[in-house]
Structure formats: structure tokens, C-alpha cells
Amino acid sequence: RGEPRKTGISRFSAEELMVCGLKSATAEGAIRELADAMVANRFVSNAGALVTAAMERESILSTAMGDGIAFPHVRGVEGGGLTIALGVSKDGIPYDDSGTKVNFIFFSVIPVAVSAFYLRLMAGLTDAFSKKANRDLLMAAKTQTELWKALTKTTRSTIQ
């Protein structure tokens, strides 16, 4: 109350959920870093369970897309809202059995009530980051604040 209404990506994420330099060299480690950021900032409560669920999902079908982007996610989470954390790896992380390297990992936690909306959100992110200029803006960010500003700028027209 008293705060301006959030719009765009800020309805689902926050500057505190931006990780400029992922330290891990594995998909599981990177997802853990993002889940830990969610827990540290009180968006979720059990990082370990989220990582396990995300990796089980990845074992069925990799969420690595083209252009060095992956969208790991956990659906059916009770309580809380749709939450997205973004991690960037300048060197790229081998993400799946085929050795696909990703530089951008958008980790999402999706409550049951918003599963259908999540698909529209992913379509907006995919559209925004199919453009090399937008990926370059994320890659150029050196701080959490710069990464957040780049994310909000690049998704302004694709996520309403």
C-alpha cells in the first residue's frame, strides 16, 4: 500500500533476483544459485526442493533454447506468486546432455493458479531475447542494478 503499482517484469521479479556472474559451471549449480537468491530475499522458502524439482524437470526435457537461453522452472508450487530470477554466465554453462551452452538462465517458480499466464510470460521473454541487441544488453551488465535495468528495458514492450 502506498507504493506505485508494479508493471511489466517487476510484477514477477526484482533487482535482488539478478545474478550477474553465475559462479557455477553446471546447470544444477546455477539453478541452485538462483534458488538461493529467491530464498535469501524471501520470495520462496525451500531452495533444495526447488532445485530437485527443476532438475527432475530438466531430466525429462531440457529447457535450453537457442541463443544461449534456458528457462528452467518448477510448476505447482503452493503459496507465493510467480517469481523469476535471472542469472548470467559470460563463459556459458554446459546445460544439458548435448552440451548446449547457455549464458542466460531464467529460473521460474510457478504457483498452480498462474500456470496458464506463465506461458504468455515465457513467450514475451523469448520474443525479447530472440534479439541479439537485447541479449547483448544483459551480457554487458556488470552489477545487479545494471542487469535489472537491462531486463526491465528489454522486456518493456513484450511483458505487460
Side-chain angles (χ1 to χ4, degrees):
R1 298 180 189 246
E3 290 184 23
R5 182 176 158 90
K6 292 181 179 182
T7 60
I9 195 77
S10 66
R11 292 183 301 158
F12 317 107
S13 193
E15 182 176 331
E16 297 80 19
L17 299 179
M18 304 293 106
V19 180
C20 280
L22 289 167
K23 293 173 181 59
S24 182
T26 67
E28 183 171 355
I31 292 169
R32 176 164 297 284
E33 286 181 58
L34 298 172
D36 287 345
M38 289 178 173
V39 169
N41 291 286
R42 298 178 175 220
F43 285 86
V44 298
S45 60
N46 188 338
L50 293 176
V51 172
T52 298
M55 293 313 296
E56 286 174 1
R57 168 41 183 104
E58 291 296 324
S59 71
I60 296 168
L61 181 65
S62 174
T63 59
M65 310 293 279
D67 300 320
I69 301 170
F71 293 107
H73 55 277
V74 176
R75 289 182 192 243
V77 176
E78 295 298 327
L82 174 60
T83 304
I84 300 173
L86 168 60
V88 178
S89 170
K90 305 255 189 244
D91 296 328
I93 296 169
Y95 195 77
D96 55 26
D97 292 339
S98 70
T100 301
K101 277 196 163 186
V102 299
N103 301 96
F104 309 101
I105 300 177
F106 291 87
F107 180 48
S108 303
V109 176
I110 311 153
V112 176
V114 297
S115 270
F117 175 76
Y118 168 74
L119 296 176
R120 287 196 330 238
L121 178 61
M122 289 302 100
L125 287 170
T126 301
D127 184 38
F129 296 106
S130 66
K131 298 168 181 71
K132 184 176 184 323
N134 289 344
R135 295 191 308 273
D136 289 347
L137 277 174
L138 295 184
M139 190 64 78
K142 292 178 177 44
T143 67
Q144 191 176 49
T145 299
E146 288 176 5
L147 185 56
W148 177 243
K149 286 179 180 177
L151 179 63
T152 56
K153 178 180 179 179
T154 55
T155 59
R156 194 168 285 141
S157 66
T158 61
I159 299 175
Q160 304 298 318

